[in-house]
């Protein structure tokens, strides 16, 4: 699977089972999971179906004010839960077919996945304590 580094944006070839073993970027040597990964429809499908870690997804768009305000909170959560939960971002403007297939009707929308199944979903920008509860529940439900 090809994982874009959230720090230097270089593409890393990575076996899916290595997601749970603290993978680092081959170029910049930073942890691949310490910041949200920007994913397209194909990578989203691979990660949600095969990741050994729960996948927390932020569906967003560049023109969305609440999405922009929520981004630092989501990034902080990714850093806090490095190698416990995979944080990914899906740009709904660039991935309209995926957004339609998943019935994303408002943004930001957060969803959690494990083993190919959606565990939970919530719409709206969450404050940090609520996001923490959301991630904790996703990790608990995934185990």
């Amino acid at each position: 699977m090809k994982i874009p580094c959230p720090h230097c944006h270089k593409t890393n070839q990575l076996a899916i089972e290595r997601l749970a073993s603290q993978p680092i970027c081959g170029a910049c040597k930073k942890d691949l999971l310490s910041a949200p990964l920007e994913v397209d429809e194909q990578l989203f499908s691979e990660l949600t179906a095969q990741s050994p870690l729960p996948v927390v997804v932020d569906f967003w768009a560049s023109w969305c004010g609440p999405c922009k305000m929520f981004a630092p909170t989501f990034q902080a959560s990714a850093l806090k839960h490095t190698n416990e939960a995979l944080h990914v971002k899906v740009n709904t403007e660039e991935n309209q077919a995926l957004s339609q297939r998943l019935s994303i009707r408002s943004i930001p929308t957060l969803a959690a996945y494990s083993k190919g199944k959606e565990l939970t979903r919530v719409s709206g920008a969450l404050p940090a304590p609520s996001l923490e509860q959301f991630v904790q529940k996703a990790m608990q439900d995934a185990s």
Side-chain angles (χ1 to χ4, degrees):
M1 145 178 326
K2 293 181 180 180
I3 303 284
C5 176
H7 306 287
C8 71
H9 307 290
K10 298 285 184 181
T11 301
N12 290 263
Q13 187 69 33
L14 187 69
I16 191 77
E17 56 274 2
R18 289 215 38 239
L19 284 175
S21 63
Q22 300 179 322
I24 60 169
C25 176
C28 71
K29 307 301 182 204
K30 293 184 179 178
D31 194 313
L32 283 175
L33 306 183
S34 64
L37 300 174
E38 294 275 349
V39 302
D40 59 13
E41 184 170 358
Q42 179 182 345
L43 187 52
F44 168 86
S45 296
E46 289 177 26
L47 290 173
T48 56
Q50 301 174 32
S51 174
L53 302 172
V55 181
V56 179
V57 184
D58 175 16
F59 293 94
W60 69 287
S62 61
W63 52 262
C64 170
C67 297
K68 289 179 183 179
M69 291 181 357
F70 177 66
T73 305
F74 194 70
Q75 183 153 348
S77 178
L79 181 60
K80 180 177 181 176
H81 296 288
T82 300
N83 302 307
E84 296 176 333
L86 184 59
H87 286 61
V88 302
K89 295 177 73 71
V90 173
N91 184 325
T92 57
E93 291 294 304
E94 295 174 2
N95 297 282
Q96 292 182 12
L98 175 63
S99 301
Q100 289 177 346
R101 181 169 56 89
L102 297 174
S103 300
I104 303 298
R105 306 241 189 275
S106 64
I107 51 173
T109 291
L110 296 172
Y113 296 85
S114 180
K115 300 174 182 81
K117 295 186 181 184
E118 185 175 314
L119 302 173
T120 186
R121 178 187 292 204
V122 65
S123 293
L126 298 178
S130 298
L131 177 58
E132 178 63 20
Q133 289 177 341
F134 184 87
V135 174
Q136 288 291 337
K137 181 170 179 6
M139 290 188 308
Q140 181 181 27
D141 291 350
S143 56

